[in-house]
Amino acid sequence: MTEQTPRRLRYAMVGGGQGAFIGAVHRHAIALDGLAELAAGAFSSTPERALASGRALGVPDAHNHASWQGLLEAELKRPADERVDAVVIVTPTDSHFPIAQAFADAGFNVVCDKPLVHTAEQADALVATVAERGTIFGVTYNYTGYPMVRQAREMVRSGALGAIRKVVVEYNQGWLATALETTGNKQAGWRTDPARSGIAGALGDIGSHAENLVSTVTGLAIEELVADLGALVPGRALDDDASMLLRFMGGARGVLVASQINAGLENDLRLRVSGEHGTLEWRQEEPNRLVHHRGDGPTQILTRGAPWLCEAARRAGRIPPGHPEGFIEAFANVYRGVFADIRARSAGTGADPLDADYPRVTDGARGVHFIACAVASSSERRWRRFEDPGRV
Ligand SMILES: NC(=O)c1ccc[n+]([C@@H]2O[C@H](COP(=O)([O-])OP(=O)(O)OC[C@H]3O[C@@H](n4cnc5c(N)ncnc54)[C@H](O)[C@@H]3O)[C@@H](O)[C@H]2O)c1
């Protein structure tokens, strides 16, 4: 039997118009592997800018929409086999829920950026809709896509560190060290506005990545936490600095920091996981290296692309070792996972878990519950039990 070349998938994008940040990163990442092409969109919050953005991206007029509602309506009018295979949502967080819920409910596969939605109730509703419709829903916790993060995950799973005792995750940035939102900066504007960002600032924007990274690499479930959130730049309504202690099921302890007021720092995400036999350290600003401090021998520096890495890490690289890979490739790895799952689903086969390696709607929902729990802990100044809705 001859194998058929798989059809190139087609995706629509909501958000990511002119002047936006992350939409272009998603498009570059998807283009990297050529598995899917941009076929439709509603790229901006105003109709004129939405249409102009789509035209600049080469989207044909019939598929270029002034609003996401128009996109949905037009897609639903097409025969099922002519609809897009996935809808990518890269708008500010306040619009994630209505858009994601509408497309998922209509049977579309969705990829949404983090944090998933504003409230725990919205998160639970979305999880229920996706389960009912049986659609695919990925959340772009892009740090899970780095080869050396996948290597760290495998080393924890395989017991290389022994039982995990301590996890320290820090996500430090400096770009909100001044009141940038008062200067007209678009990205700072909505992130510091409770109406648009929700109940959390730095905690939601980058603390959600930190929570997801810990969960992905260690597999540990948070049992309790105590958080101290603050707005250290005067006049800010939402936290720009978050510190937290974590207690995990099984006894491990953790520290999580998410802060955007560290003047001079760029994107300093770092993770340290210590077990009975050793410690792993990974830093996003040097993502091609994973440091393994062994309790029984010299420290090893593992590098991306080396033949002795686990299969998940090797598959997540594209070029030989020594040529740095980074942010866009990690996003592309999340997309590879989503597209593999979409392909397997439409072929009626189960996807190989190594291929369909991407964060799901349940991971996004856990992140939203985590944010709510930390905000409550900080305002009540006490430890809170963390209820992960996905925990069985
Ligand atoms: N995974 C990551 O590393 C990462 C990094 C940055 C941002 N993000 C997330 O991506 C999302 C977007 O962030 P950003 O920094 O790119 O924001 P941005 O403000 O730069 O861009 C948002 C875009 O969405 C458009 N938009 C807003 N409302 C819309 C609507 N109703 N319909 C269509 N388009 C609409 C805006 O016009 C703009 O083009 C947020 O959820 C953010 O948390 C994730």
Side-chain angles (χ1 to χ4, degrees), residues 13-20 27 41-54 57 64-69 71 90-92 95 99 186 196:
M13 178 168 275
V14 182
Q18 289 164 347
R27 292 192 295 269
F43 296 94
S44 199
S45 54
T46 63
E48 304 73 32
R49 194 177 264 238
L51 295 174
S53 301
L57 290 166
N64 187 19
H65 299 279
S67 70
W68 65 265
Q69 291 91 341
L71 168 68
V90 281
T91 60
S95 51
I99 303 172
K186 186 181 160 82
R196 308 214 59 204

Side-chain angles (χ1 to χ4, degrees), residues 17 20-22 44-45 91-92 96 113-114 140 142 187 190-191:
F21 167 36
I22 210 68
S44 199
S45 54
T91 60
H96 287 185
D113 219 313
K114 46 46 59 181
T140 39
N142 46 298
Q187 285 76 24
W190 70 258
R191 280 176 172 81

